[in-house]
Amino acid sequence: MKRLVSGIQPSGTLHIGNYLGAIKQWVELQNDYDCYYFIADEHVIDTKPRPVDLRERTLETVAMLVALGVDPKNCVLFVQSQIPEHGELAWLLLSFTTLGQLTRMTQFKEKSDRHGQSVGLLGYPVLMATDILLYDAEIVPVGEDQVQHLELAREIARSFNAHAGQTFTEPKPLLTKAARIMALNDPKRKMSKSVPGSAIGLLDDEATVTATIRKAVTDSDPNSNKMSPGVENLFTILEGFSTPETATQFGDKYKDGQLKYSELKEQLIEDILAFLGPVQKTYKSLLARPDQLERIIKEGTAKARPIASAKLAIVKKNLGLLS
Ligand code: ADP
Ligand code: TRP
């Protein structure tokens, strides 16, 4: 089976955009690939989260992934900071990355105007490349916003291989159909936790889900016969949570000009709530058992670490560092 790696930051409550754009695919891929999934906790240090919050969010993210169907028996689920090889390799890879490559990154340009921004944000894609190259991943499922970082990981691998001999595999991105779920209150923007009213959180209650969907923007341009971006987005979400039959049925109604948006919204509310109910229940029961969560993390670390340390040993040898 081909090796696949992907990570997610523990940066707060996850939303349906994160689920449809990333985690749903993680769950599906578990059966076809040798999957390594991790919580990228060292990736959020540049935002300087309160230490108590970071700890809590890391455990919450592990619990949420498991509740969503990431199965520690069917993949290696670990926490980045528990594998010190990531930090060590990142240092070595910095020398195979140019300043120009990093300042060109869209994410860096978008976020670097913060006063007093650390070098951590600039170097972030190098740590991401490390996460991937350390495990010889061939495939990396990511959202559209990460494709540029993945291309950089390939460039770093090439530059290293050219200097020290064939060492790293060049990874390829794998994009989902729902790679970009748009904000419910503004379908021109990406659904994001940092935009209020834009998202449905995976921990939202029934009243919040209902209100957010009912308020979702569906406006269309009266001069256009194309589906409006808001409605298109609702259809993408419907495809993510409903059965294919339901999605087809609503699609047909739309084509026949028979679709009432209120009906589409009620169907969405029903299907999203049916999905979230059991997920929230499992999530809560996992969080109530921190010993079980810690065991999951320990077992994941025990599986990932030998691979990381064996790879780092090869890297150091190829560079001429003493072993
Ligand atoms: P946010 O934008 O809410 O801060 P993150 O940047 O932490 O979300 O993203 C975590 C993961 O979820 C990434 O893999 C990202 O590509 C994916 N993701 C985030 N927002 C969306 C979205 N609106 N549509 C699809 N995927 C998304
Ligand atoms: N940068 C990714 C994000 O913001 C998270 C991430 C870190 C990642 N390391 C990774 C994703 C390695 C894939 C592979 O979503």
Side-chain angles (χ1 to χ4, degrees), residues 6-9 11 13-23 26 111 141-146 176 178-183 190-194:
S6 200
I8 190 154
Q9 296 189 35
S11 48
T13 321
L14 297 171
H15 52 72
I16 60 168
N18 301 129
Y19 175 65
L20 296 179
I23 305 161
W26 285 19
K111 296 187 180 170
V142 280
E144 218 172 62
D145 54 339
Q146 298 298 319
T176 30
R180 212 169 155 80
I181 302 293
M182 307 314 284
K190 190 183 101 149
M191 177 179 287
S192 171
K193 64 179 163 293
S194 49

